[in-house]
Amino acid sequence: MTTHKTDASTRIHRLADYTPPDFLVDRVDLDFDFRDDAVVVSATLALRRNPQSAAPDAPLVLDGEALETLSLAIDGIDLPPERYTLGAGTLVIDDALPGAAAAFTLRSVVRIRPDQNTQLSGLYRSADGYFTQCEAQGFRRITWFPDRPDVMARFTVTLHADRERLPVLLANGNPVGSGEETDAFGVSRHWARWEDPFPKPSYLFAVVAAKLDVLRDHFVTASGRRVELAIYVEPGKLDQCDHAMAALKQSMRWDEERFGLECDLDHYMIVAVGDFNMGAMENKGLNIFNTKYVLARADLATDLDYEGIDRVVAHEYFHNWTGNRVTCRDWFQLSLKEGLTVFRDQEFGADVHQPAVSRIREVRILRATQYPEDAGPMRHPVRPSEYQEINNFYTATVYQKGAEVVRMLQTLLGREGFRAGMDLYFARHDGQAVTCEDFVAAMADANGADLKQFMRWYERAGTPRLKACGEYDAQARRYVLTLTQSMPDDAAAEPLCIPVVVGLLGPDGADLPLRLSGEEKHEAPTTRTLLLKESSQQFVFADIDAPPVASLLRGFSAPVHLDFAQPDVELAQRMAHDSDPFNRWEAGQQLATRLLLGAAARSASEPTVADEWPDSFAVAAARILDSALAPGGDPAFAAEALALPSEATLAEEMAVVDPDALFTARMGLRAFLGQRLRERLETLYEKLAPSGPYRPLPADAGRRALRSLCLDLITAADPDAGCALAARQFAAADNMSDQYAALALLAHHDRPEAAAALAEFHARWQKEALAIDKWLLVQATSRRPDTLSVVRRLTKHRDFDLRNPNKVYSLLRGFGANHVRFHAADGTGYRFMAEQTLALDAINPQVAARLARAFDRWRRFDAGRQAHARQALERLAGNASLSRDVSEIVGRALG
Ligand code: TRP
Ligand code: ZN
């Protein structure tokens, strides 16, 4: 398949150029005829001119891609070829249109070839049948249409297919008819018709024609409406659907309780498919999911997989209100639905799992992915102002930073105020396609708040720096906190409105009552939200009897870099005593970061010097281990507290990234902890051994996570002993969490027990695609020096398939995230990634562009690595048939 480069394909789209649609579509009637090698799609659009259009005599311009047009008719009269123009991705009809105010119908018949659709956008074929993915611009690959989210229409869909081969025929909405039929060739087939009562943008359209098993259930909403639930999966996998179904019902209840939002549908369906570009898609009433976020069984899915299912099922369900009932005016507003819906799924996760650990994991992800993105060539505001290919903007910034921005609104307005804002948002905008301003305006108006300054969070790229400086005045018994904000590379940036949640610890580690000087005596909570609105502000705390230890940005109240020169002893004190669990974790991470960056800097200048690590760090770690199983302790928290910051996160703090030095430092500190805490770790490892059958409950998962961490540190100190333990755990495990943890650890080592475990795992699970993904991932992310050659070999393995995104993400993106191996000094990692990106680009540009993101930070490395990376990028850029997806990533990286 070839990708054609046209003028339209490299065009830059700008938010500032938005104009309302010239035509609206009231109704769409679609007919799909599934044949062996093609699908014929007949569409009847009820169109009329948009009274809001800026161009009352504009021609009708429809989007289409990879369509074979068989016929066109307006109001039932065939349109001869001279009456329309087929351009690059457009169909233009000018003089054949009826008068200005008149409504008319356009009927088109096109042929499409799902078998050849390797991009997995539009209608495509997977093992069990046909599936669709229309966000962002896949609908135009199904039929001619004004494919933009501010055109909302009512859809009716009829599907015709062979009953044996494709027994399940689904579309959005409600089933309104079905039956047997004989086609023009005398072949007997079946059909089904669906009607969606809600007007929707084309990106929420979906159909499925496949052979699938179904798990049925139902849900009764708070107001007593019955919703039929169904999860469709590959035949034989019904025993892997229960967790997703439970998560769906839990999400439905949660949204009623927390936001007063009920399900508006009679039918809510989830379909799982093994070939899918992303996690899942919120198509109205017919979600389509990557199997990874549906299928789970104790022996096949890890604790993380179970939690991922909870979060993604909730996320897609929550989109039904935030995204579907109220949708985006244009794709620049993507975070309107994604940031808000991620925030909602985070809040759901905090409620059903552990809030502190959930928050810690969110911030880890933000720092490891969004911070680098925001400092690199793909940096963009939460609401981008321009793009070449919208699929490249489904990013950590739009999703994760977008969620942080929504979270700040809740912090500023309080939970009730935030809820009032949500209520007003739905009251005003239900059924509309709106902008981020509309959302913030609802928040402001419901609370009588002025959020003009807050809008800057949507408009500005880059991670702000927050500098803090504390001074204690013994005489005046005051503590003066000076907060200063700035943007890197932009001294003139107008200040943001930053909520800074703070606490002050007294000498015994307990929180002090906080009274700002000038305030009434009585109100003195121990945690307060300071509002930083100027470039620099002072906050004076009164009645402080001794120098306090400041705990800033509690709960990670704003997505900023905090610059606060807190002495090590104070960090250690907070690591032990901070009442805010997030900041207790954060203090430990900061201490570890200082140690690791110090060691990395020393080893870079003097590679032979062995590192000396401070005893105090081991003492603090011991305290965390000891408290994990004590009353009130939390094993999951301990596991997070003892996991060191990732190389990608640490790299952002180095002037010139030295991946080998970072790697060595991290290994060294782990080995030090392993040595110093050996006995404790071994005891804990035994104590945390499974005591009953596997249950995917947060408390049990926390114990398993801590046990794996113990094993990891033991192995760092003593590979022989650790690998022996891991091999035993691998053999004894009755669940994937324990088995996978052991396998991942063994895979770092070039030893017989590792080879045996990998072979056994493969033999046992070769028919389970998601388990094979894990097998690929542990090898791709291995610390072994020969990992690249292993990965190269695996690209030729019969279980690897460049056409399957999950396989690509496991093996290739996994390798791209393997910091020390991908950034090998000889450039072999870069060359490999460029080759693979190019090969994949001819198959699936969306996924290829995600692979190319591995190069984002190339300029931050030394001259030698930079030269290799530049060469790899230039090789990509020099390719004449590069997709617009990859060309945007590569162009920005080189630009
Ligand atoms: N809207 C989806 C979500 O976040 C994301 C998504 C699914 C997507 N499939 C996609 C985005 C394909 C771009 C392309 O829930
Ligand atoms: Zn989403």
Side-chain angles (χ1 to χ4, degrees), residues 315 319 338 399:
H315 180 96
H319 266 316
E338 294 305 347
Y399 277 66

Side-chain angles (χ1 to χ4, degrees), residues 120 133 135-136 203 276-282 288 312 315-316 319 334 337-338 391 394 399 846 850:
L120 313 185
Q133 172 55 42
E135 188 177 7
Y203 83 89
F276 199 74
N277 283 347
M278 305 268 284
M281 180 62 211
E282 69 265 23
I288 297 183
V312 176
H315 180 96
E316 306 312 329
H319 266 316
L334 183 57
K337 74 178 178 81
E338 294 305 347
N391 286 319
Y394 288 75
Y399 277 66
Q846 251 184 66
R850 287 181 184 272

